[in-house]
Amino acid sequence: KGDGDPVQNCRIRPRNFTQAVFKYRSTPYGKLPANADLERTIRQGVSGTPMPMFGPSLRDSDIKAVVEYIKTFSPDWQKPDNFAAPIPLPETPVWFADSKAHAVQAAEGRKLFMTTCLPCHGENADGNGPLAATLKDNFGQPIHPADLRQPLRSGAGPQDTWRTIAVGINGTPMVGFNGALPPDQIWNLVAYIESIKLPQAKTL
């Protein structure tokens, strides 16, 4: 239930597996994650939280066993309607490695950011948008938008950012934009987010 002994010292609370609400997935918003999603979180950990990476210390078979055990805590895993196929993750565009082309695409992404993301994430992408103070998660608890200048908890690479924008973050007001935005516009947003990363957070 996310109520282990060290929780009182955690600013960010652990997942309650009995609720079966998983933030970081490749599946559409509101759906359960694929096994590969849970395995990725166990392997890579979650940046900025107490959740460490277990990839170096656990065998693949152990990670798969942990995933199956996690799925025993909630009856939601027994309901077919809770499942959906992962949204295909496109390859990173070739222009991403070209600094000039990247800047052009990032400029387009900034325009889109100002009309789509600013209300929550703020003009400076620091999580202080005009709606930030009003946001709550699915359990009625206040939730603050991510500071997009920092490493994202969903993963550090461009494809991780694309996936997060496309599928959203379950249990939060961050819905998925797959279908609402074409893939190339999501890549523009990714380029813009990469361009504003603080020096210690850059992946390029």
Side-chain angles (χ1 to χ4, degrees):
K1 294 183 178 180
D3 57 358
D5 290 340
V7 165
Q8 62 269 21
N9 298 319
C10 293
R11 182 176 61 86
I12 300 169
R13 296 184 66 85
R15 288 290 88 195
N16 182 342
F17 294 141
T18 68
Q19 295 171 338
V21 177
F22 295 89
K23 291 182 175 181
Y24 310 123
R25 321 157 329 282
S26 59
T27 53
Y29 187 83
K31 298 299 182 180
L32 289 170
N35 282 9
D37 297 324
L38 295 179
E39 291 174 14
R40 181 173 59 251
T41 298
I42 294 169
R43 286 194 178 92
Q44 298 180 0
V46 181
S47 176
T49 79
M51 173 63 185
M53 59 173 63
F54 287 97
S57 58
L58 291 180
R59 297 174 300 181
D60 284 350
S61 59
D62 291 331
I63 292 175
K64 293 180 184 299
V66 170
V67 166
E68 293 305 319
Y69 184 56
I70 288 171
K71 291 159 63 176
T72 67
F73 289 109
S74 171
D76 287 0
W77 292 98
Q78 308 304 318
K79 301 173 183 177
D81 289 347
N82 291 332
F83 292 86
I87 293 173
L89 185 63
E91 293 293 328
T92 304
V94 294
W95 54 258
F96 223 88
D98 183 316
S99 59
K100 290 184 179 180
H102 187 281
V104 171
Q105 300 296 332
E108 292 301 313
R110 184 180 187 281
K111 296 175 187 177
L112 188 57
F113 183 92
M114 294 301 168
T115 59
T116 305
C117 313
L118 183 150
C120 295
H121 291 283
E123 183 175 358
N124 299 316
D126 56 4
N128 291 312
L131 298 182
T134 68
L135 298 178
K136 294 184 178 181
D137 64 17
N138 285 15
F139 309 106
Q141 299 299 312
I143 186 170
H144 200 274
D147 181 346
L148 300 177
R149 304 168 305 166
Q150 303 286 352
L152 299 184
R153 294 174 188 158
S154 55
Q159 286 187 315
D160 297 309
T161 305
W162 192 98
R163 181 178 58 244
T164 302
I165 296 171
V167 306
I169 301 177
N170 278 354
T172 80
M174 175 62 189
V175 298
F177 285 90
N178 183 59
L181 295 176
D184 59 334
Q185 286 192 328
I186 295 179
W187 277 119
N188 287 344
L189 282 172
V190 174
Y192 175 62
I193 292 170
E194 287 286 337
S195 74
I196 59 172
K197 291 291 185 189
L198 297 174
Q200 66 272 21
K202 287 186 178 297
T203 60
L204 289 179

